[in-house]
Amino acid sequence: MNWLPSDCQTLVEGMQDTGTLHLFEDLVLFFVRKNLQEKVIPQFLESFAKVSCVEMLDALENLYTSMGWFHNYVGNWHNATSLKLQMNQVLKSILKWNAHYRLEESFSKLFACSFQFYVTANERNNYSFHEEGKSDRLLVEWKGFKEEIELSTLENLMERQFKPLVQHWLSELGLVEFFCDDTVMAVLEVEVDRYITKICGGNFEKRWMHSEGAELEHWSNSQVMPWLKLIFHHGFKKEVWTQKLHYILYRSYTKLRISEMLNIITDYPDSTPALHELKFCLQHTRQRPCLIESLKNDITNRVLHPGVSTQNIITVYIAAVKALRELDLSGVVMEMVLEPCTTYLTQREDSVRMIMQGLLWDDGSNDLAAELAKTQEPEEVACWNERVTEKPEDWMPDPREADPNKVDKSTRTSDIVTLFIGMYGSKEKFIKEYQKLLSKRLLQTWYGEKSESSEIRNLELLKKRFGEEDMSKCGVMLKDISDSKRINTYINEEYYKKNSLQNNLNLRTMVVSSQFWPDIPNQEYELPEGITKSLELFNKGFENLKASRSLKWLSSVGMVDIELEFEDRQLEISVNPLQASIIYHFQDEDKWTLSELSDSLKIPPTILRRKMTFWLQQGVLKEIEPDNYVTIEKRPGTTSSNASAPAASGGGVVDASDHFVNLCDEEEDEEKANSDEEEEKKKKNEQVRPNNNIV
């Protein structure tokens, strides 16, 4: 260098002559520091700041060459080894003082380039880059930085510069620990994240770790470990880096699965392998708080909003309970994650109804129906609030994520049905909703002449949940069905024959105990005279059987099988009583106005007009003028050959149970519409009301 004699021996002899030889090392270190600060390091930083990996390696080679001159200069000094170490320390301190973070990021980029190169090399059979169909260029990526390099050029750089860099240059300059440890960890985290996301993302049904032929373990052993051995060379400690690499793998896998947790839940039980591996990783990475917070946010943002139906929310809730219990046996994660879901469901008006409908699923394929059929073992819930175990040494404290203010911990092990009941604090709402559903289901069963065995089964299962006494009314409702069968048999087969009576209508009447049944929607109207006589005759038979009781007919509830004969066709159809009463009037007169028919049936015209729509759709009636209706005796273009054809494409037999359900829905819609209309009028009145208050 310009400030020192070209020969170290000349400097030694000169200092020896002047008696300053004891300052030799200080003098050399001074010139080393001065040269590094003023020339070598500025040039190095300027070149190393370039984005190209090629220029980075050139800058490092120049730095090594410059320091090599100083090392060679003092090679014959009696304390050369110690002096070289001091030179390296000066270099390290200057680099650290000037641009440590910039250098660390640049080294990370360089190491990422080498990692991606060696992975590509291994995939292409040890540097065989010229296979057919393979690109001869490698796209190097690092945190937004991208550089496309010829593979042959990169191969030459790795062999000529990178290998010497990590195996000799950094070691001789004492910069291995300074540059490699943190840099290699940063590169591994990014590259492992990239690889795990690429192969494991969205695939929940396969085991990636701790199984025969596990892909992640094979990749880490065959790709990552050889690269680490190349970087650290003689200083490579396999046990240490195996432990570090496993931790990075577990953390990256956990990070990915946390981001996909809601999808894992919806895919349960197919996603069980992913849950088991995530459970193992959480034990080593302590990312449970992150999982809880992330999943709570995902459920809140993606599930708990008006665009998702209540049924879908319940489905997600059930899947979450099962999946999170698979993940965490303590139940703490489930308890904390599902708290917003529990609160949201209790605020939805139809939640209880949807839950009860799920419990009463006939074929048992529904999750809730299957849960209802299960019986919870008493020992599973005994003393759970105190977390008492048979063996004191088996006791385990709550995880640190648990809410210390939660006194009642029973929800952590309660079955799903109990969890839903516990949302509302009591079972009364569910019992009332079940009574309404049972009422509809029994009426549908009666119309369809089906067995009520499934309802009996459901009732017995619900008695175990709610108790015999609370379900007593429902028991009476089922008993009314069997009693109605006996009453109909007696009246139709014994009473009529005994008294030589004949009923023009084949009545099959369902007799219910009004005080035990919920209110059944009924539209009051006046029945035609011929139908009224048949009902009175049946009523006499009932009073003969039950002397102290009488019947109150719900005139619009039921099913009527009717046959309609026209000039060109016949039509058999099942309708509700009100629709049957409407068409009954047209057998005497072919033409009716809406007001005349309304007066005859004693029903409001607005309701009657809506009911007339059914017969218009069936092609039985026609509105010739506004609110004027006539029967269609003969359709245009028909002949006698198609006399038995249905009246319209929608003709045929209509399911009576649907009529009952539709009637109930219509009644509820009318009540809601009336309520909304009154509320709207009230708001308008408040808006136009003058303010007479004097302040």
Side-chain angles (χ1 to χ4, degrees), residues 369-382:
E371 288 293 325
L372 180 63
K374 294 180 181 178
T375 55
Q376 195 173 23
E377 297 295 332
E379 58 267 19
E380 289 183 4
V381 295

Side-chain angles (χ1 to χ4, degrees), residues 503-648:
N503 198 329
N504 294 329
L505 297 178
N506 182 17
L507 288 176
R508 184 170 177 268
T509 305
M510 181 177 174
V511 182
V512 302
S513 306
S514 58
Q515 66 270 32
F516 294 98
W517 283 64
D519 293 337
I520 300 175
N522 179 51
Q523 175 63 55
E524 294 291 346
Y525 68 97
E526 187 169 316
L527 290 165
E529 183 179 354
I531 297 176
T532 302
K533 289 181 179 179
S534 296
L535 298 183
E536 290 176 351
L537 189 60
F538 187 93
N539 197 24
K540 289 180 180 179
F542 179 79
E543 291 175 350
N544 183 72
L545 179 64
K546 306 281 187 177
S548 60
R549 300 172 65 184
S550 62
L551 296 176
K552 178 183 177 181
W553 295 90
L554 301 180
S555 53
S556 68
V557 181
M559 179 186 73
V560 183
D561 295 329
I562 60 176
E563 295 182 7
L564 301 177
E565 295 185 2
F566 303 92
E567 292 182 7
D568 63 342
R569 67 196 185 282
Q570 291 182 347
L571 180 65
E572 295 182 1
I573 194 168
S574 297
V575 296
N576 63 39
L578 179 53
Q579 290 166 338
S581 299
I582 291 172
I583 204 64
Y584 187 90
H585 284 71
F586 284 86
Q587 70 178 349
D588 297 327
E589 295 185 27
D590 291 340
K591 181 178 179 181
W592 285 82
T593 66
L594 186 69
S595 59
E596 291 172 346
L597 197 56
S598 175
D599 293 339
S600 178
L601 290 170
K602 300 294 188 296
I603 188 173
T606 53
I607 297 177
L608 180 60
R609 183 181 288 106
R610 189 170 66 250
K611 301 299 180 183
M612 297 289 287
T613 305
F614 173 80
W615 292 115
L616 296 175
Q617 293 173 345
Q618 295 298 318
V620 174
L621 299 180
K622 179 181 180 182
E623 189 174 11
I624 54 175
E625 295 177 1
D627 296 340
N628 282 267
Y629 303 92
V630 296
T631 56
I632 303 176
E633 288 292 340
K634 187 174 182 179
R635 294 175 299 170
T638 58
T639 61
S640 58
S641 61
N642 58 4
S644 61

Side-chain angles (χ1 to χ4, degrees), residues 355-356 359-360 372 417-418 420-422 426-432 434 458-472 474:
I355 293 169
M356 290 308 304
L359 290 173
L360 302 179
L372 180 63
V417 178
T418 305
F420 278 122
I421 297 172
S426 65
K427 53 191 175 183
E428 282 72 16
K429 285 187 177 182
F430 290 91
I431 294 174
K432 288 181 180 179
Y434 174 63
N458 288 335
L459 178 59
E460 292 302 317
L461 291 173
L462 289 171
K463 283 181 179 179
K464 296 179 180 179
R465 298 280 178 175
F466 301 131
E468 291 273 354
E469 184 177 351
D470 292 320
M471 303 300 291
S472 58
C474 300

Side-chain angles (χ1 to χ4, degrees), residues 174-190:
L175 297 176
V176 174
E177 182 181 351
F178 180 73
F179 278 130
C180 292
D181 284 359
D182 293 339
T183 302
V184 167
M185 287 294 290
V187 170
L188 283 179
E189 288 176 359
V190 173

